[in-house]
Amino acid sequence: MAEEEGSWDSTLDEWLISEGFCYSAGMAQLEDGAFYAAAPEKDEAGWGFIYKEDHEQMITQEDMTEKKMTITEATSLKYVADNLKAPPTGLWLGGQKYSVTRVEKEFQVNETTFTYIFANRPKKASTSGLIAMCAAGRCDRHHQLPDHLCVLRR
């Protein structure tokens, strides 16, 4: 399995990072939101951009008070994939909070249709992310993939 994970790290690096399209990318399981590949691959730098262990953050509640809450980033990503909006704690990637700003359920590129979710970091216009949800084998004609999420940060 480690060999397969490494190959996806390399693929992300080759297709997205080396071409300058993104500064980081990752692939996560649609089933639970857990990442299994990250780029840039060198020194495993991609993991630092897209993943952080469970951590506590002060989250503003509906009544505008703040409450310390535990953030599990995979759960946050899974919630976004299932509900096409951010969870009450927000969408967190790599320890950074993102706001979901646009959703297209049936975005089509050539013969491929997928759902995409665009997210921005509040007050950080230069940092944005795109989450593409793909059904098995539908993101790329050359690879048979399980249902997964592709997370790109540019």
Side-chain angles (χ1 to χ4, degrees), residues 38 44-52 93-95 153:
E44 297 189 357
W47 288 103
F49 290 123
I50 65 167
Y51 174 79
K52 185 174 181 178
L93 299 168
R153 291 177 63 185

Side-chain angles (χ1 to χ4, degrees), residues 127-138:
T127 307
S128 58
L130 171 70
I131 301 168
M133 292 189 294
C134 306
R138 299 203 44 202

Side-chain angles (χ1 to χ4, degrees), residues 33-99:
F35 282 105
Y36 60 89
E41 187 177 25
K42 184 178 180 183
D43 300 325
E44 297 189 357
W47 288 103
F49 290 123
I50 65 167
Y51 174 79
K52 185 174 181 178
E53 295 279 343
D54 293 356
H55 55 282
E56 290 188 336
Q57 295 286 339
M58 295 300 289
I59 304 296
T60 304
Q61 306 298 299
E62 287 184 25
D63 64 2
M64 300 311 287
T65 61
E66 288 192 333
K67 179 180 176 183
K68 188 178 278 192
M69 300 181 77
T70 300
I71 304 298
T72 303
E73 293 187 358
T75 302
S76 167
L77 187 56
K78 171 72 172 140
Y79 185 97
V80 171
D82 289 345
N83 299 286
L84 303 179
K85 64 180 182 178
T89 56
L91 169 62
W92 292 81
L93 299 168
Q96 304 292 321
K97 185 176 181 180
Y98 286 77
S99 297

